């Protein structure tokens, strides 16, 4: 039997790390086993549904380069959007009613609330629905329904016995039926199915072989197995994926940082870095290998290597991966990402002029070697394209120094830069070092004001490379300009 797995998100929010991890694991499992990856939209909760979330789902999968074999608009088991499958759920709920496996419940919201209050007051160990309508004669119930009385349909959960479901990672999980949620609603008053009913029917009808989803769904496991039994169906295999935690050991959430994929996208992460890192959240190939391309994972992913223990999401590690993947990109494909950013930030024109292209060409090795995020490119090389309109004088002032010392440093710099082009990088460094010693300063105390003068920022690429790229004349001009600005500042302070 060929593997059929699905990602079944509810479009009620942006795609986040946890959801994408589920999508990727299912996708890779399908690919590694020559199976099918199915995308199913679980949009039965119409109150929480929204169009933006659905669009975000499509955009995210497209950005990651994760196509579905079956899903909206494609495949023989559709429709793949639950809102288009309501007739099917009705039909199967009716079947459960006919077989005495489900029943109509006419309890009002007020009554259910009273039951809850009572249980709370008595500290009763029976929580939840009190099965009030379970024994109403079905013919009588049907009459009441047909007379227009509002009702839901509930599953008749056996009150005796136990239910076991087997999880490929966690092993057997057994619950007493008496502890499974008492007779959960499977069809709501408005005729809409609940998650449990729709999910089980669809997994069966779509011939899903393995359910890989987050561990949060484990508590629903026994109930789902009972539903399969009620229909007389065999459940698929289950594989619940370990939780994703923040560094503090609590479940990953906004408190730890961004969790939605669109934030990472906007922040200049590459899809291949995200895919690699997220794939290691609860899965490993062996004890040492860290780098996996999408193509690697399509071959190597296996269920046996999924961990039980929670995974810890380390933002720094993801950042590191991103830098690594920026270095691994081909020049052409990295430029394809960087040029639109430079254009959007107004650093270069669209289309780029020949001169702008030549500058980028020169700066490229440096950029590729140093960028952590694609979005940093504009800040990193703006100085090569734009004059610095005005300096933030404080940036040019190293700690524990007086502003009045800086003009002298800048003069010294202009002087020793005279032969800059004739010297090697090491020689230039030596000259700067020697001069700083003579002046009783640290090397950094000379470098910082010069760097700010040349590039406008403290964060720029290495100084000598920056000067070489910009050209010595321009660099010297900028040093003079900063000096004048500082002298003016000093004058107006007196
Ligand atoms: N719609 C559910 C969710 O949003 C699917 C859970 C499952 O995979 O069964 O997580
Ligand atoms: Zn009832």
């Amino acid at each position: 039997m060929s593997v059929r797995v699905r990602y079944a998100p509810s479009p009620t929010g942006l795609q986040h790390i946890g959801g994408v991890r589920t999508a990727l694991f299912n996708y890779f499992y399908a690919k590694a086993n020559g199976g099918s990856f199915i995308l199913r939209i679980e949009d039965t909760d119409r109150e929480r549904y929204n169009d933006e979330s659905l669009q975000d789902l499509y955009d995210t999968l497209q950005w990651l380069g994760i196509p579905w074999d079956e899903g909206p608009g494609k495949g023989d088991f559709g429709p793949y959007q639950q809102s288009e499958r309501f007739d099917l759920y009705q039909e199967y709920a009716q079947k459960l009613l006919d077989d005495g496996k489900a029943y109509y419940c006419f309890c009002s919201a007020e009554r259910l609330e009273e039951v809850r209050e009572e249980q709370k007051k008595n500290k009763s160990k029976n929580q939840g629905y009190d099965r009030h309508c379970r024994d109403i004669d079905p013919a009588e119930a049907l009459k009441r329904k047909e007379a227009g009385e509002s009702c839901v349909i509930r599953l008749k959960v056996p009150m005796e016995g136990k239910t076991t479901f087997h999880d490929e990672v966690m092993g057997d999980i057994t619950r007493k039926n008496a502890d499974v949620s008492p007779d959960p609603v499977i069809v709501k008053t408005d005729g809409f199915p609940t998650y449990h009913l729709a999910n089980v029917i669809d997994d069966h009808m779509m011939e899903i072989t393995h359910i890989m989803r987050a561990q949060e769904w484990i508590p629903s496991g026994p109930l789902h197995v009972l539903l399969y039994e009620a229909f007389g169906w065999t459940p698929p295999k289950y594989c619940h994926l370990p939780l994703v935690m923040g560094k503090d050991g609590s479940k990953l959430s906004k408190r730890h940082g961004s969790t939605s994929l669109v934030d990472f996208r906007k922040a200049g992460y590459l899809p291949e870095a995200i895919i690699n890192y997220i794939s290691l959240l609860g899965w490993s190939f062996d004890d040492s290998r860290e780098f996996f391309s999408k193509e690697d994972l399509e071959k190597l992913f296996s269920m046996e290597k999924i961990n039980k223990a929670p995974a810890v999401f380390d933002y720094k590690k993801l950042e590191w991966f991103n830098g690594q993947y920026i270095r691994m990109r081909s020049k052409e494909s990295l430029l394809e990402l960087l040029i639109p950013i430079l254009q959007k930030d107004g650093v270069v024109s669209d289309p780029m002029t020949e001169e702008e292209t030549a500058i980028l060409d020169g700066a490229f090795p440096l950029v590729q070697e140093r960028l952590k995020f694609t979005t940093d490119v504009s800040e990193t090389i703006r100085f090569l394209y734009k004059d610095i309109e005005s300096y933030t004088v404080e940036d040019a002032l190293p700690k524990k120094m007086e502003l009045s010392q800086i003009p002298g440093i800048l003069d010294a710099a202009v002087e020793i830069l005279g032969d800059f082009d004739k010297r090697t990088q090491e020689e230039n460094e030596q000259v700067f070092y020697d001069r700083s010693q003579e002046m009783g300063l640290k090397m950094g105390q000379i470098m910082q004001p010069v760097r700010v003068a040349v590039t406008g920022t403290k964060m720029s690429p290495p100084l000598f490379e920056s000067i070489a790229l910009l050209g010595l004349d321009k660099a010297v001009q900028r040093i003079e300009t900063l000096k004048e600005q500082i002298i003016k500042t000093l004058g107006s302070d007196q």
Side-chain angles (χ1 to χ4, degrees):
M1 193 171 53
S2 80
V3 163
R4 294 177 57 82
V5 290
R6 62 11 175 226
Y7 178 44
S10 304
T12 55
L14 297 173
Q15 287 297 302
H16 54 79
I17 301 290
V20 167
R21 198 262 315 251
T22 301
L24 291 175
F25 280 27
N26 278 286
Y27 171 79
F28 290 132
Y29 187 67
K31 295 296 123 184
N33 290 283
S36 303
F37 173 64
I38 293 146
L39 178 65
R40 183 171 76 225
I41 313 296
E42 300 211 326
D43 56 352
T44 53
D45 186 345
R46 298 313 283 179
E47 264 157 52
R48 291 177 56 221
Y49 170 86
N50 62 70
D51 285 339
E52 298 76 58
S53 303
L54 188 60
Q55 192 55 49
D56 175 70
L57 165 69
Y58 293 146
D59 291 348
T60 301
L61 291 180
Q62 159 146 34
W63 182 70
L64 291 169
I66 301 298
W68 54 90
D69 301 304
E70 294 171 32
K74 192 179 174 194
D76 297 334
F77 292 77
Y80 293 90
Q81 225 157 315
Q82 291 189 326
S83 55
E84 292 170 19
R85 300 170 65 82
F86 278 5
D87 294 347
L88 193 73
Y89 309 134
Q90 293 290 349
E91 187 189 313
Y92 280 93
Q94 188 58 49
K95 203 165 146 356
L96 292 181
L97 286 167
D98 294 346
D99 294 350
K101 305 265 168 73
Y103 62 91
Y104 290 116
C105 160
F106 299 93
C107 294
S108 64
E110 291 74 37
R111 175 168 190 280
L112 295 174
E113 183 56 36
E114 273 166 33
V115 171
R116 225 177 341 248
E117 286 298 311
E118 196 67 13
Q119 285 169 344
K120 228 163 72 194
K121 217 170 69 202
N122 300 336
K123 302 209 166 63
S124 161
K125 85 176 202 352
N126 295 330
Q127 294 286 321
Y129 182 57
D130 61 355
R131 301 187 163 106
H132 183 72
C133 305
R134 182 166 165 129
D135 297 320
I136 299 176
D137 173 45
E140 156 82 17
L142 187 59
K143 245 189 240 154
R144 282 172 70 178
K145 177 183 153 74
E146 277 168 358
E149 205 174 325
S150 146
C151 61
V152 299
I153 302 176
R154 291 183 183 272
L155 180 72
K156 226 179 231 180
V157 172
M159 283 148 84
E160 326 258 272
K162 291 184 224 164
T163 299
T164 296
F165 85 94
H166 178 75
D167 186 280
E168 301 292 313
V169 176
M170 313 295 287
D172 279 349
I173 300 179
T174 301
R175 290 275 291 278
K176 281 202 225 124
N177 290 338
D179 294 340
V180 173
S181 159
D183 298 5
V185 174
I186 53 176
V187 177
K188 298 182 251 184
T189 40
D190 54 11
F192 282 35
T194 56
Y195 154 74
H196 302 295
L197 182 72
N199 184 271
V200 162
I201 291 175
D202 286 350
D203 283 337
H204 178 74
M205 303 303 286
M206 294 180 181
E207 296 179 15
I208 299 302
T209 56
H210 299 75
I211 293 182
M212 264 184 273
R213 62 185 172 196
Q215 258 180 31
E216 285 92 329
W217 292 101
I218 284 185
S220 300
L223 176 61
H224 289 191
V225 170
L226 285 168
L227 265 165
Y228 282 101
E229 281 172 7
F231 284 121
W233 298 335
T234 312
K237 289 200 153 85
Y238 287 96
C239 170
H240 286 88
L241 310 175
L243 296 173
V244 182
M245 312 287 216
K247 273 206 148 164
D248 60 357
S250 66
K251 196 181 157 202
L252 187 69
S253 73
K254 288 217 183 81
R255 274 188 307 114
H256 299 102
S258 292
T259 57
S260 55
L261 258 280
V262 66
D263 286 348
F264 288 104
R265 244 164 86 186
K266 285 193 194 139
Y269 283 86
L270 299 181
E272 59 266 37
I274 300 266
I275 288 178
N276 192 150
Y277 185 62
I278 291 186
S279 297
L280 298 174
L281 296 173
W283 177 84
S284 58
F285 180 65
D286 56 23
D287 290 338
S288 54
R289 180 167 168 187
E290 294 194 290
F291 282 98
F292 298 92
S293 68
K294 195 172 75 163
E295 293 69 29
D296 293 335
L297 292 160
E298 287 173 1
K299 291 194 201 88
L300 300 175
F301 189 84
S302 70
M303 204 177 272
E304 293 73 51
K305 299 283 175 68
I306 293 174
N307 307 324
K308 267 190 203 171
V312 175
F313 191 86
D314 180 349
Y315 284 86
K316 280 277 167 266
K317 184 80 190 199
L318 174 59
E319 233 177 85
W320 177 81
F321 266 115
N322 204 52
Q324 297 300 310
Y325 275 102
I326 287 177
R327 323 276 172 267
M328 280 187 249
R329 278 260 174 159
S330 70
K331 179 172 179 184
E332 200 190 353
S333 78
L334 186 55
L335 283 178
E336 241 167 62
L337 296 177
L338 299 182
I339 289 173
I341 297 172
L342 290 166
Q343 286 169 334
K344 185 176 90 5
D345 292 341
V347 176
V348 300
S349 37
D350 181 8
M352 283 173 77
T353 65
E354 241 168 72
E355 198 198 341
E356 285 170 342
T357 306
I359 292 175
L360 185 53
D361 215 45
F364 184 80
L366 200 102
V367 165
Q368 179 161 38
E369 200 178 301
R370 296 182 61 86
L371 277 192
K372 267 196 189 153
F373 306 104
T374 54
T375 40
D376 288 348
V377 66
S378 298
E379 277 330 289
T380 311
I381 58 169
R382 185 188 300 273
F383 75 96
L384 294 175
Y385 291 95
K386 303 280 172 195
D387 290 336
I388 293 153
E389 276 161 30
S390 90
Y391 289 101
T392 309
V393 165
E394 298 76 57
D395 284 350
L397 182 62
K399 282 194 200 96
K400 295 192 193 136
M401 288 189 76
E402 298 291 332
L403 195 57
S404 55
Q405 291 175 273
I406 307 302
I409 292 178
L410 293 173
D411 278 339
V414 169
E415 194 193 310
I416 53 181
L417 280 175
D419 288 330
F420 177 82
D421 290 336
K422 293 189 208 118
R423 294 189 292 248
T424 64
Q425 164 108 354
E426 286 88 63
E427 287 166 347
N428 274 315
E429 254 165 55
Q430 189 63 47
V431 172
F432 267 77
Y433 178 77
D434 292 344
R435 180 56 74 96
S436 65
Q437 293 290 299
E438 276 165 36
M439 295 174 80
L441 297 170
K442 293 203 189 96
M443 177 115 151
Q445 292 175 313
I446 295 198
M447 300 288 262
Q448 181 178 334
V450 179
R451 172 177 290 119
V452 169
V454 174
T455 69
T457 132
K458 288 193 284 189
M459 308 301 195
S460 59
L463 178 59
F464 297 136
E465 268 128 308
S466 300
I467 294 175
L469 287 168
L470 183 66
L472 183 60
D473 290 349
K474 267 198 186 160
V476 167
Q477 245 172 45
R478 288 185 184 181
I479 295 172
E480 298 289 1
T481 309
L482 174 62
K483 189 180 105 186
E484 276 156 35
Q485 200 183 319
I486 290 175
I487 289 171
K488 246 190 238 150
T489 310
L490 287 167
S492 63
D493 280 353
Q494 274 153 19

